[in-house]
Structures are given as structure tokens and as C-alpha cells.
């Protein structure tokens, strides 16, 4: 769920960048300016959730439910058996989040620098 919300926010940055590139009176300095704006938005996402994005909304909903379901989650996890072939199942979401955002920044920079 959290990964879907994160990728939705990342794609919304790319979507607004693409829409700006589709204007009829586009010149090269505008492309570089729009690329810098999109890169800054993505860098901002590496520190915190995208303001008004789905990840922020999901975190707010999960924070509201955390107190109510803490006991039921503990009970459910005590009966769950992890698959024996999956060794990275419990990788920290923040590490995955950082990797996705950094890859998005790198992709944007690599595509427009060549």
C-alpha cells in the first residue's frame, strides 16, 4: 500500500513535468527550468512526504488506525510464518523509498543531460 502511494506521488511529479513539456511555445531554457523544478520536488520527497500526495494521506489514515489495531496486528503476526525462500521481506520501507526516489532523480537527470 505504502509503495503504491509513493509511486503515485513520484509519477505525479513526472506527469506535471510532461504536461509542461507539451506546450506549444517551449524553448530549451524552459526544459531545463522544468527539469530543475521536478528534481527539486523529488529531492523534497526524499526528506518528507509529497505535500498533499497519496503517501501523506495514507500515513495520516494509518496513524489514526495504529492505536486501534496494535493488538490485533501483534496477534496476527505471531501466527504468520515467513516463506523460507524470502530473505529480504523485512527490508526497511524508508530504504526502499529512498532508492525509488533517487532512481527517479537519476533517470530524470540522465535523460535530459545526454
Amino acid at each position: 500500500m505504502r509503495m503504491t502511494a509513493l509511486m503515485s506521488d513520484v509519477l505525479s511529479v513526472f506527469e506535471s513535468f510532461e504536461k509542461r513539456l507539451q506546450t506549444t511555445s517551449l524553448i530549451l531554457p524552459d526544459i531545463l527550468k522544468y527539469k530543475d523544478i521536478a528534481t527539486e520536488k523529488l529531492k523534497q520527497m526524499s526528506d518528507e512526504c509529497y505535500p498533499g500526495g497519496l503517501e501523506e494521506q495514507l500515513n495520516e489514515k494509518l496513524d489514526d488506525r495504529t492505536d486501534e489495531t496494535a493488538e490485533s496486528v501483534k496477534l496476527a503476526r505471531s501466527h504468520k510464518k515467513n516463506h523460507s525462500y524470502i530473505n529480504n521481506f523485512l527490508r526497511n520501507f524508508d530504504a526502499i523509498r529512498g532508492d525509488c526516489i533517487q532512481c527517479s532523480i537519476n533517470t530524470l537527470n540522465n535523460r535530459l543531460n545526454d
Side-chain angles (χ1 to χ4, degrees):
M1 238 0 223
R2 292 177 69 192
M3 191 65 179
T4 303
L6 169 68
M7 292 312 297
S8 173
D9 291 345
V10 169
L11 290 176
S12 70
V13 171
F14 278 97
E15 180 184 17
S16 66
F17 175 66
E18 181 183 348
K19 283 182 180 180
R20 289 179 175 177
L21 292 181
Q22 292 176 354
T23 60
T24 57
S25 61
L26 186 69
I27 57 175
L28 186 60
D30 288 342
I31 295 173
L32 298 176
K33 180 178 80 172
Y34 297 148
K35 178 192 78 119
D36 291 340
I37 291 170
T39 303
E40 286 302 315
K41 286 181 181 180
L42 290 169
K43 285 180 182 177
Q44 179 186 7
M45 286 178 62
S46 64
D47 297 331
E48 57 191 28
C49 296
Y50 187 71
L54 288 179
E55 186 182 15
E56 183 180 56
Q57 294 172 11
L58 179 66
N59 286 342
E60 289 173 0
K61 288 180 183 178
L62 290 177
D63 288 343
D64 293 342
R65 289 183 160 182
T66 301
D67 298 332
E68 300 169 1
T69 59
E71 285 298 316
S72 62
V73 169
K74 287 179 185 177
L75 292 174
R77 286 189 180 172
S78 65
H79 299 296
K80 184 178 179 182
K81 180 180 176 184
N82 287 337
H83 196 277
S84 61
Y85 294 113
I86 299 175
N87 56 7
N88 288 337
F89 182 72
L90 298 176
R91 186 174 176 205
N92 187 0
F93 176 74
D94 292 332
I96 297 170
R97 184 179 188 281
D99 288 346
C100 290
I101 293 171
Q102 190 59 46
C103 286
S104 299
I105 292 170
N106 292 344
T107 299
L108 188 61
N109 286 330
N110 290 337
R111 295 287 179 184
L112 293 176
N113 284 338
D114 291 340

